[in-house]
Amino acid sequence: MELHCEGEPCPKPVLRCKEVLAAHAPQTLTVYVDNDAAKDNVSRFLTSQGMQVAAPERVANGWRITATAQGGTAQAHASAATAACACAAPK
């Protein structure tokens, strides 16, 4: 699955990654960003979600970050993130 976040300031690329993981739990997620802060934050977030993140690759319009799920770990983390958000929501 690909996610294009060019032109989006942080934390929006991270929030979009979180939404994709929660909704789809992809085996592979490739994220395109165009600034260093987003590159670092997206890489750090995907790693924290149990994904294996390859070294970001420089592309014409910024960076390509490729992350791969490690044996269903991304699904478990995405479910936990969704549950945590649901618990924090006001009732």
Side-chain angles (χ1 to χ4, degrees):
M1 176 172 267
E2 289 189 351
L3 185 60
H4 290 269
C5 297
E6 297 97 330
E8 297 179 7
C10 278
K12 188 158 185 171
V14 172
L15 296 174
R16 289 188 62 202
C17 288
K18 182 177 180 179
E19 291 171 0
V20 166
L21 290 181
H24 304 287
Q27 286 299 307
T28 301
L29 179 60
T30 302
V31 184
Y32 294 89
V33 297
D34 62 1
N35 63 78
D36 289 340
K39 171 188 62 107
D40 294 340
N41 292 333
V42 166
S43 296
R44 189 171 28 256
F45 172 74
L46 293 173
T47 298
S48 78
Q49 297 304 298
M51 298 191 83
Q52 182 177 358
V53 179
E57 299 173 69
R58 191 79 163 136
V59 294
N61 58 345
W63 298 94
R64 175 175 49 223
I65 304 158
T66 303
T68 306
Q70 298 181 21
T73 306
Q75 174 66 43
H77 283 284
S79 297
T82 302
C85 291
C87 293
K91 295 182 180 184

